[in-house]
Amino acid sequence: MDTEKNKGHRNKQVQQPLKVTKKIADHEEATSKKHQSKDKSKKSGTASKRKDKEGVTEPVLHRLDPKSVGYFRRVGETLQQDFESDEDRGLFVRNVFQEVKGNELELATDMSGSVVLQKLLSIATCTQLCRVLTVLSSQWQVVCWHRSGAHVIQTALLQYPRLQKEQSTEEEEESSEEPCSSFDDLVMSLCTEIKDKFLPYNQNTHGSFIVRTLFQVLGGVLLNQEATRKGSHGMTVKSEFEVSESFVQQLQELCTCFPLHTGVFATNKIASLGMQVALQVLQRRVPAACATLCDEVIDYLSTRNVSAESSTLLVFLKDETSSRLLERILEVSEKKQLSRLFRAHFQGQLHLLSSHPIANYTVQRLICAIQSKKMFIKLFDELAPELEDSLAKGHMGIITTLAEACKRLKRRQTELVSKLMEAFHCVDPPSRHMACVPLFLSLLTYEVYYNKEEGDNNEQQDNTDRKLETVNYHGSLLLQHLLHFEDPSIVLKSLGSMSDVDLLTMACNQAGSHIFDSLLNSSTITDKQRKKVLTKLRAHCMQLACNKYGSRVLDRIWNASTMGVKEEIAQKLVERLRELQSDSVGHHIVRNFALTHFVKRRRDWEEHQQAENKRRKMFAEILED
């Protein structure tokens, strides 16, 4: 049973939110005359209008007064704190939403106020959220085209999956106000708004943002948006959820507006993003509609460059905006559709496109999208003779995606290795074969890496003592794919001939550390071949343990090792146990390897490690089955 003291403390916590919300009420009373003098449109959530220099009418948004800004800032700070119970938090949020009434538009379009409103909406009940959206819906365009308001609308829309799952157990306050619209009705209202102004919304920076969010909610597919192009393979699916048929129907109706302005969506940087997201969502939700839209875009673009000697898409493949849209089309195209695209627009043009600074990215997406082994062989045979040219131009994405496709489709693996050896000038004499891994990792030809004159094949003058200085991201990615080839013997021999210092450099590098993942995971590499490489690293256990990336490699080696190897590694580490414990990275290794138990309770440590080995072996067998 609670003591009187505890009850008093709990009641104080519940009352605290009420004290905060009371401040805004006092402020409103003190400034009532000021509010009465304002335009009546503010009270109803509307905004007055003015004309800019070009004579275009634009809304004049009223700002929150300083005291209100201060109040909502304190609300944001309070929301970040822990509440004693969900009931306390619900009471606080309910009181704050009472103060939001009448200030929805001003709050949504205020830089700091919109952040607080987003936090509130992310934990709001369906009724609370709909009350806010109902007011904002009277000014859809004003809010959706505002840099702060757009984020508020996005946050509200993204609550749909959460509100679907949650069953409200709280009784809403009795109110004399008119009932607000349902969430579905508000979404439909926004669809109507956007459908009537489809092109302007998609061309507006913030409006396009809302359109893309709406597509995802209507389709029940949330995407991970990747902002950078380097190393990006487009948008990936973050999560999926069930939606009503009416939502899917609205999605399809909105997407029928794209063909009316295909030229704009293919060339306008902002508008193009909307079509890209639509294609991604349609592929998951309505594949037939996705295929139709892809055909309509390709058919349209194919008629724009009729004087072209070869592919009519060539000019668009070299344009940054159009090429990104075409990349998305390649990613979502069906197998037969992709085959038609390849024959009509890519075959015979691949060398030209792979050499172009923009079009080479589209070629990479084509390689990643190919599922047909027959089509891949045609593509490979056209691109392979020009690998050295791609290397010289710095288009390593072409080479790494080719390697990934060779691994995935199990075709042309031997040919790719031969072409790589030629491109890096390590075919003749045969002694150069052993140098291929450092060359791949550095992306340097043999002559550049070892500072030799080109054409000089005198083996006695080779400076093979050069140390590996760094690891290139694309070089690491290439080697990871090669280690999964059916015959990785050439790269394994080179890897095994590297010095322990070079292997340590690889292991302690962010990109290089992943090479050891492939070495340990590849089904085409034997334990004996792994041991030849990994044994050299054991002498550097301490350096690995105290390095952010090296410790990850050491952890992987540990999990794959026998009891004897684990004892050997543990013995070397405990010799400097105190130093390891005080290291910001090393203390994790002490915990993971249970090194204190190794020193003080050796038998318990051995039993635990043996049990762990058995568990991992059993788990691996289950996965194989």
Side-chain angles (χ1 to χ4, degrees):
M1 182 178 289
D2 289 343
T3 65
E4 291 300 321
K5 183 178 180 180
N6 289 336
K7 286 181 179 179
H9 176 70
R10 187 176 58 193
N11 291 336
K12 182 179 179 182
Q13 291 293 327
V14 176
Q15 292 168 6
Q16 188 64 28
L18 297 175
K19 292 180 180 180
V20 179
T21 54
K22 188 176 183 299
K23 293 180 181 179
I24 189 65
D26 294 340
H27 165 67
E28 286 180 347
E29 184 179 352
T31 57
S32 59
K33 293 182 180 180
K34 180 179 177 181
H35 284 285
Q36 290 171 1
S37 64
K38 289 184 178 179
D39 189 67
K40 294 181 180 179
S41 61
K42 181 182 176 182
K43 294 182 181 179
S44 60
T46 59
S48 57
K49 298 180 179 180
R50 67 181 179 191
K51 289 187 178 181
D52 61 13
K53 294 180 179 179
E54 298 177 356
V56 179
T57 302
E58 61 176 12
V60 177
L61 297 172
H62 297 289
R63 294 184 178 181
L64 289 174
D65 57 85
K67 289 187 178 180
S68 296
V69 170
Y71 163 71
F72 285 112
R73 184 180 294 114
R74 291 192 298 277
V75 168
E77 293 169 355
T78 305
L79 286 172
Q80 292 178 336
Q81 300 172 4
D82 293 330
F83 289 85
E84 281 197 352
S85 66
D86 291 340
E87 183 181 354
D88 288 354
R89 188 180 72 164
L91 178 61
F92 176 76
V93 171
R94 189 182 306 167
N95 290 332
V96 173
F97 268 113
Q98 288 296 321
E99 305 304 335
V100 168
K101 289 179 182 178
N103 295 286
E104 291 90 349
L105 184 60
E106 291 82 356
L107 196 59
T109 53
D110 180 81
M111 185 175 294
S112 58
S114 65
V115 175
V116 176
L117 188 54
Q118 289 174 61
K119 291 178 182 177
L120 287 168
L121 293 177
S122 65
I123 58 176
T125 64
C126 186
T127 303
Q128 290 169 344
L129 184 145
C130 290
R131 281 176 180 164
V132 174
L133 269 189
T134 299
V135 176
L136 297 181
S137 65
S138 64
Q139 293 287 327
W140 276 131
Q141 183 173 319
V142 173
V143 185
C144 291
W145 289 21
H146 191 275
R147 60 181 179 179
S148 298
H151 289 283
V152 172
I153 300 299
Q154 184 208 31
T155 300
L157 291 174
L158 293 180
Q159 301 313 304
Y160 184 74
R162 174 178 69 85
L163 296 176
Q164 268 188 318
K165 295 177 182 178
E166 291 181 359
Q167 296 294 328
S168 179
T169 57
E170 296 183 1
E171 295 182 4
E172 294 294 336
E173 299 176 72
E174 292 292 333
S175 175
S176 58
E177 296 177 346
E178 294 182 4
C180 60
S181 303
S182 69
F183 196 103
D184 285 17
D185 289 341
L186 289 164
V187 172
M188 293 301 178
S189 169
L190 181 57
C191 289
T192 302
E193 162 76 10
I194 291 176
K195 197 183 302 178
D196 293 341
K197 306 170 186 175
F198 193 72
L199 192 58
Y201 260 88
N202 277 279
Q203 288 179 305
N204 180 273
T205 302
H206 308 298
S208 172
F209 183 65
I210 296 300
V211 172
R212 283 175 270 154
T213 304
L214 182 62
F215 283 149
Q216 295 174 66
V217 173
L218 291 174
V221 180
L222 297 185
L223 304 174
N224 277 321
Q225 306 287 343
E226 298 185 19
T228 57
R229 187 164 197 163
K230 184 177 179 181
S232 168
H233 290 280
M235 291 174 284
T236 56
V237 176
K238 181 179 179 181
S239 63
E240 295 187 61
F241 52 92
E242 292 298 322
V243 292
S244 63
E245 284 299 321
S246 59
F247 273 29
V248 177
Q249 184 179 352
Q250 282 296 318
L251 172 66
Q252 291 179 266
E253 288 183 13
L254 282 171
C255 289
T256 59
C257 299
F258 283 117
L260 302 176
H261 310 282
T262 304
V264 178
F265 287 102
T267 55
N268 184 283
K269 187 175 182 179
I270 297 173
S272 177
L273 296 174
M275 183 178 278
Q276 291 178 45
V277 170
L279 288 170
Q280 192 82 351
V281 173
L282 284 173
Q283 183 203 24
R284 307 285 297 191
R285 185 59 65 182
V286 195
C290 178
T292 300
L293 183 56
C294 287
D295 285 336
E296 289 174 339
V297 174
I298 295 298
D299 290 344
Y300 175 86
L301 297 180
S302 298
T303 62
R304 301 299 97 186
N305 191 26
V306 292
S307 61
E309 296 179 1
S310 51
S311 168
T312 51
L313 284 185
L314 203 59
V315 65
F316 297 105
L317 290 168
K318 295 180 178 181
D319 175 75
E320 185 173 0
T321 300
S322 302
S323 67
R324 290 203 178 193
L325 177 59
L326 290 169
E327 287 173 25
R328 195 69 64 235
I329 289 174
L330 291 173
E331 290 173 3
V332 303
S333 291
E334 298 172 339
K335 190 174 181 180
K336 291 182 179 179
Q337 199 172 34
L338 189 64
S339 180
R340 291 197 303 270
L341 273 171
F342 176 74
R343 290 195 304 270
H345 302 288
F346 289 92
Q347 195 168 6
Q349 303 294 321
L350 290 172
H351 171 54
L352 179 65
L353 294 172
S354 63
S355 301
H356 194 271
I358 294 174
N360 83 89
Y361 289 103
T362 312
V363 176
Q364 293 177 43
R365 297 297 176 269
L366 173 64
I367 297 170
C368 292
I370 286 180
Q371 300 296 326
S372 166
K373 295 178 180 180
K374 185 177 179 181
M375 188 194 306
F376 173 70
I377 289 172
K378 291 179 181 178
L379 178 144
F380 180 90
D381 292 345
E382 189 175 337
L383 280 177
E386 312 299 336
L387 283 190
E388 187 169 356
D389 185 49
S390 295
L391 176 65
K393 285 181 164 49
H395 298 168
M396 275 300 297
I398 295 290
I399 298 175
T400 55
T401 50
L402 268 181
E404 186 278 331
C406 288
K407 176 188 74 174
R408 172 167 48 88
L409 300 172
K410 297 183 179 179
R411 290 292 185 274
R412 293 292 193 262
Q413 293 182 359
T414 304
E415 290 83 350
L416 178 65
V417 173
S418 298
K419 292 296 181 183
L420 287 172
M421 300 292 278
E422 291 177 12
F424 284 89
H425 303 173
C426 54
V427 176
D428 294 317
S431 61
R432 291 189 177 187
H433 292 187
M434 291 298 184
C436 68
V437 168
L439 302 183
F440 293 164
L441 295 179
S442 306
L443 295 188
L444 298 172
T445 61
Y446 189 91
E447 292 81 8
V448 175
Y449 188 83
Y450 288 111
N451 196 23
K452 284 175 56 67
E453 293 293 331
E454 190 168 351
D456 183 0
N457 293 328
N458 190 340
E459 297 182 51
Q460 294 181 350
Q461 295 181 0
D462 287 0
N463 177 22
T464 55
D465 293 331
R466 173 172 171 173
K467 302 301 179 186
L468 182 68
E469 296 176 1
T470 187
V471 177
N472 181 277
Y473 166 78
H474 286 288
S476 170
L477 201 58
L478 173 62
L479 190 57
Q480 290 173 52
H481 294 319
L482 295 178
L483 287 171
H484 283 278
F485 278 16
E486 293 180 343
D487 180 16
S489 57
I490 290 180
V491 292
L492 274 176
K493 288 177 183 177
S494 176
L495 201 58
S497 69
M498 292 175 66
S499 68
D500 55 348
V501 176
D502 283 354
L503 291 174
L504 182 64
T505 300
M506 283 172 50
C508 294
N509 178 277
Q510 183 176 9
S513 63
H514 293 284
I515 294 169
F516 294 93
D517 292 341
S518 295
L519 181 68
L520 290 165
N521 294 335
S522 176
S523 60
T524 59
I525 298 176
T526 65
D527 289 339
K528 185 178 179 180
Q529 291 171 321
R530 292 189 185 96
K531 186 177 180 181
K532 186 177 181 180
V533 177
L534 298 177
T535 301
K536 295 182 179 181
L537 278 177
R538 291 185 206 164
H540 302 277
C541 289
M542 192 63 187
Q543 292 96 315
L544 290 172
C546 295
N547 180 272
K548 180 180 179 180
Y549 307 109
S551 63
R552 200 181 69 86
V553 173
L554 184 60
D555 207 38
R556 290 298 314 276
I557 294 173
W558 177 273
N559 291 335
S561 296
T562 61
M563 271 297 297
V565 174
K566 285 186 176 181
E567 288 179 350
E568 179 186 337
I569 293 173
Q571 189 61 53
K572 289 180 179 178
L573 291 175
V574 296
E575 291 173 2
R576 299 168 65 180
L577 183 59
R578 187 166 297 178
E579 181 182 344
L580 200 59
Q581 288 174 324
S582 61
D583 187 84
S584 59
V585 176
H587 78 274
H588 293 292
I589 291 293
V590 175
R591 181 197 60 209
N592 294 347
F593 295 2
L595 295 181
T596 53
H597 285 191
F598 178 80
V599 174
K600 297 177 180 180
R601 291 182 285 180
R602 185 68 168 268
R603 181 170 294 181
D604 290 345
W605 181 88
E606 289 176 354
E607 290 177 357
H608 176 73
Q609 295 302 324
Q610 287 172 351
E612 278 292 302
N613 282 359
K614 286 181 181 179
R615 187 184 64 80
R616 287 197 176 91
K617 184 178 180 181
M618 182 178 66
F619 187 66
E621 289 173 353
I622 292 172
L623 289 178
E624 288 175 3
D625 292 341

